[in-house]
């Protein structure tokens, strides 16, 4: 009991009240636009994609796009994270189209599947393509072989990590070399 009391009092300092909304099952209120961009999975990659999308502005309204991410994290079980007024992170298996529809997204503008496991990504892409035939589905793959399988399952575009890593590494290394050359050119020798 003492450990529970201590944990309870310490955890009050880590409140997410400004980002979280607890909901009742009776609430018919939807936090999501029916054409929101859906991010499937709120792990490391999903969160990064979600944050980058949140930085965008709609060219007509000047507002960020409506975003929703779904994750199976127990932290989200009885709450909704709302990082911005137009975005929400909710509990649910977004590979199941019924979960997306039940949260008010009837015609997603786009879907991004961010899971790590290839079989989970394959299943999600196939199920989402069947239920949302018009929506573009973006995802990632470790190899070109996985990317080909995902294209056949219905993905619109795939980021192949095996291809992107060498390009990113090369760009970083070239940047370091350019900075080194600039430093060498600006060395002043006092005599």
């Amino acid at each position: 009991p003492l450990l529970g009391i201590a944990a309870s009092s310490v955890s009050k300092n880590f409140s997410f009240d400004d980002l979280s909304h607890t909901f009742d099952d009776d609430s018919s209120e939807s936090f999501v636009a029916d054409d929101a961009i859906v991010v499937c999975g709120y792990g490391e990659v999903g969160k990064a994609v979600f944050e980058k999308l949140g930085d965008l502005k709609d060219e007509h309204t000047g507002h960020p796009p409506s975003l929703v991410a779904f994750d199976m994290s127990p932290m989200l079980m009885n709450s909704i994270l709302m990082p911005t007024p137009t975005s929400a992170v909710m509990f649910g298996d977004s590979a199941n189209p019924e979960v997306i529809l039940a949260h008010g997204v009837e015609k997603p503008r786009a879907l991004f599947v961010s899971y790590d496991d290839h079989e989970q990504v394959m299943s999600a892409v196939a199920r989402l393509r069947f239920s949302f035939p018009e929506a573009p589905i973006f995802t990632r793959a470790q190899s070109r072989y996985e990317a080909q399988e995902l294209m056949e399952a219905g993905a619109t575009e795939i980021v192949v990590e095996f291809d992107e890593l060498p390009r990113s590494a090369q760009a970083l290394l070239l940047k370091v070399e350019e900075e080194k050359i600039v430093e060498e050119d600006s060395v002043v020798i006092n005599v």
Side-chain angles (χ1 to χ4, degrees):
L2 180 60
L3 186 56
I5 294 168
S8 176
S9 64
V10 170
S11 66
K12 288 179 185 174
N13 296 330
F14 299 105
S15 173
F16 293 101
D17 291 340
D18 58 331
L19 294 177
S20 175
H21 173 76
T22 302
F23 62 93
D24 300 324
D25 289 335
D26 298 337
S27 173
S28 62
E29 174 183 12
S30 176
F31 296 98
V32 183
D34 67 342
D35 67 341
I37 298 171
V38 177
V39 177
C40 303
Y42 198 65
E44 189 175 335
V45 172
K47 187 173 184 177
V49 168
F50 191 83
E51 288 172 357
K52 286 290 185 192
L53 289 170
D55 292 341
L56 299 175
K57 302 285 185 222
D58 185 286
E59 62 186 45
H60 297 92
T61 65
H63 299 292
S66 179
L67 304 170
V68 62
F70 293 95
D71 198 87
M72 296 295 289
S73 170
M75 179 187 91
L76 297 169
M77 196 165 298
N78 292 317
S79 63
I80 298 171
L81 296 180
M82 298 182 67
T84 70
T86 61
S87 66
V89 182
M90 299 185 228
F91 180 79
D93 177 11
S94 53
N96 181 349
E98 292 301 318
V99 170
I100 296 171
L101 291 166
H103 283 85
V105 183
E106 296 176 11
K107 295 181 180 183
R109 195 178 325 174
L111 299 118
F112 186 90
V113 181
S114 69
Y115 306 136
D116 292 326
D117 180 66
H118 178 65
E119 295 305 316
Q120 189 179 12
V121 175
M122 283 289 295
S123 175
V125 167
R127 294 169 75 188
L128 295 170
R129 174 54 62 219
F130 181 78
S131 295
F132 305 110
E134 302 299 317
I137 300 174
F138 304 98
T139 190
R140 65 192 190 128
Q142 296 289 320
S143 67
R144 291 183 193 143
Y145 177 76
E146 287 181 357
Q148 184 60 39
E149 286 184 328
L150 289 164
M151 288 295 279
E152 291 170 7
T156 307
E157 287 202 35
I158 299 112
V159 175
V160 180
E161 293 172 2
F162 182 78
D163 292 342
E164 287 301 316
L165 181 61
R167 275 189 279 234
S168 298
Q170 180 183 12
L172 290 172
L173 292 171
L174 286 174
K175 184 178 176 183
V176 168
E177 280 300 309
E178 289 172 3
E179 289 173 0
K180 183 178 176 185
I181 291 170
V182 169
E183 284 178 14
E184 289 174 358
D185 287 345
S186 62
V187 172
V188 177
I189 301 174
N190 294 327
V191 184

